Amino acid sequence: MRRGGKLYILLSSLSVVGFLAFAVIAFLVFLHVLPIDQAYAIAFALLGLAFFAATIYFGKSIADRHIAKHQLQLENLYTLGKKTSFYNLYQFEQRCRLVQGSPLYRKKRHFLIDFGFAPNSISSNPRHNEEISSFNYAIAEHLTTMFYGEKGKRLKLFRRRVFCFHRGSFLIYAVVDKEEEVTELCSTLLSDIYDLGEKERVRVLVQPFFGVYEINPKDNLTFAIDNAEIARVNAEDTFETICHYHESFRVSASQDDIADLEQALANQELVVYYQPKFSLKEKRFISSEALVRWNSPKYGLLSPASFIEKAETAGLISAIDLYVFEHALMDLYDQRRKGRRVLPVSVNFSLYEFFSPNFLNVFRSLLEKYKTPPTLVEVEITETTSQANQFMSISIIKKLKDLGVRVLMDDFGIGYSGIDNLRKIPFDGIKIDKSFTDMIVEDEKTRSIVKMITDLGHLNDIEVIIEGVDNDKEVEILKKIRLDTIQGFYYSRPLPLGEYEAFLKDNPFEAKGGRA
């Protein structure tokens, strides 16, 4: 029998014995066996009854507390790997309501923070799951120390906080004066978790993500927890370390959109087009970019702008990435088999696919499946993707380069645009965004910026490509700047495979040294 049950039986027994003793004494008084006034006897009996009731009540309360503690320890044994009294969701909600109801905090700002370190934590590998549970326990112990440990200067950051572990992530209820305190709290925990990862020698990916939701006075606590979780999931999807909730996160693709896209993938309705890239130095086409179109039975040929955002919302963007990649490899295989002209093809990968755990394995297996030399493949990722998690980006890019695959930074100039990124991240090429091309003829500052980017690229042995070139004026300016490679309608629009192969075989630009 558990300790709580034993204590309850003991107190109940004492209460029964005590009550019986009072009852016997009162009975003897009524029979005049004991010389005590009857009024005192009644009072004595009532006192005994009160003693009995109080003993039963407090005994049950103490026993319930011990039982609840035991159940909590069992729950934590399952979720954290050890018997600990770290709060669960029920206790968290109780304490949060006490904080919400306190007049001391009514004029403060209230935030709900949801954070975890392993989005896809549960696997079929028991050792992997044990490590995750062990590290979550280390985080729980650290939080307990920070919130309730010895007083220190840094612990001010953790006052007026309630926390718990729920469904694989940690919840923190924070009452603050300024929103900056929430960011500081998250940044401090981020640093602490990294340090814990090194200290515990964790062999799983330690990448914390924080979802933050500011609680309104009328908000239900369950609703607030849900919104913080949505923000954290969005942080994981976008590799943004700290993400504040926004209503747009709840927007989802309709069931019809999802069904249409799934059917398009199943029925091979998506078509790969190719847009060649022209080298100003070599005066010939040296590569191309694979671009997707949807040949919809309902609407005809659709550009990516009409369905890519829906695919991201529906969670199908990774499937489309791999679809385009595999079809590009199929086309390369067919071109080589038939002895046609073959150019390296660059394929775009979204943040979701690039950072997925199986990306490199799937990439290698598809290269092997279609017997494609890695030198015929280029990977394009946006600057935003490369900066979402720079450590992981560098690691993945190095592994791709070890295979012999070139990696290009797409849309350079519209994301973080850190010049130091060209030195830190080992890109083979950068693609200057079309927004610069649109202004390059009229705006001198734009020309200066493009020249600076080109010079920086050359300084770091990086090929510089520019997109969206539509006319000869733009081409002439880019020649003077000594830019490497041009992609745009001036040379060719995106073409279906048959037209692309015919264009490579016979086009006016290579025959006339780069001019139409």
Side-chain angles (χ1 to χ4, degrees), residues 103 109 338 395:
R109 297 177 69 177
K338 294 178 179 177
S395 175

Side-chain angles (χ1 to χ4, degrees), residues 140-339:
E141 289 290 290
H142 179 71
L143 283 175
T144 303
T145 303
M146 295 307 296
F147 282 65
Y148 299 114
E150 296 179 6
K151 291 183 179 180
K153 192 173 182 181
R154 198 174 153 225
L155 294 181
K156 291 180 181 178
L157 186 64
F158 293 85
R159 291 176 186 170
R160 302 197 299 261
R161 314 283 187 251
V162 182
F163 56 93
C164 79
F165 185 76
H166 174 60
R167 293 195 309 187
S169 64
F170 293 88
L171 299 176
I172 297 177
Y173 190 102
V175 181
V176 300
D177 295 307
K178 298 179 294 184
E179 187 174 337
E180 290 76 10
E181 292 178 52
V182 174
T183 303
E184 185 183 357
L185 174 64
C186 292
S187 299
T188 301
L189 286 173
L190 177 69
S191 175
D192 290 349
I193 291 170
Y194 282 138
D195 291 342
L196 275 173
E198 291 183 10
K199 181 181 176 182
E200 299 290 323
R201 299 190 177 184
V202 179
R203 291 190 295 273
V204 292
L205 173 64
V206 177
Q207 174 55 57
F209 295 99
F210 296 80
V212 179
Y213 175 71
E214 182 166 11
I215 302 172
N216 298 312
K218 295 181 180 179
D219 281 345
N220 178 283
L221 188 59
T222 303
F223 178 75
I225 293 170
D226 189 38
N227 285 347
E229 183 181 1
I230 289 171
R232 175 180 57 78
V233 171
N234 189 75
E236 293 169 1
D237 289 342
T238 59
F239 276 76
E240 183 180 355
T241 305
I242 303 172
C243 178
H244 288 256
Y245 173 82
H246 190 272
E247 282 296 330
S248 63
F249 296 167
R250 282 187 174 270
V251 177
S252 60
S254 70
Q255 290 301 313
D256 288 342
D257 289 336
I258 296 171
D260 287 346
L261 285 166
E262 287 178 339
Q263 186 176 13
L265 286 164
N267 295 344
Q268 307 278 309
E269 293 170 12
L270 300 183
V271 183
V272 179
Y273 276 50
Y274 297 91
Q275 187 172 32
K277 305 173 195 173
F278 191 85
S279 169
L280 291 176
K281 183 179 179 181
E282 299 181 33
K283 295 183 174 57
R284 66 181 184 91
F285 292 102
I286 58 170
S287 61
S288 64
E289 179 179 4
L291 301 163
V292 67
R293 301 288 185 267
W294 182 3
N295 192 10
S296 169
K298 287 184 183 178
Y299 310 109
L301 193 66
L302 300 176
S303 72
S306 62
F307 63 88
I308 288 297
E309 188 174 341
K310 291 178 181 177
E312 289 178 345
T313 307
L316 294 172
I317 191 64
S318 289
I320 291 177
D321 285 347
L322 293 176
Y323 178 99
V324 173
F325 180 48
E326 183 163 12
H327 280 70
L329 294 180
M330 290 165 62
D331 290 343
L332 283 170
Y333 178 81
D334 191 57
Q335 288 171 337
R336 291 164 57 229
R337 185 175 60 84
K338 294 178 179 177

Side-chain angles (χ1 to χ4, degrees), residues 88-107:
N88 60 9
L89 183 64
Y90 174 72
Q91 293 171 310
F92 175 78
E93 289 178 335
Q94 283 188 316
R95 291 184 65 85
C96 285
R97 290 189 179 98
L98 288 174
V99 173
Q100 286 178 317
S102 171
L104 294 173
Y105 304 138
R106 282 177 188 166
K107 293 184 180 180

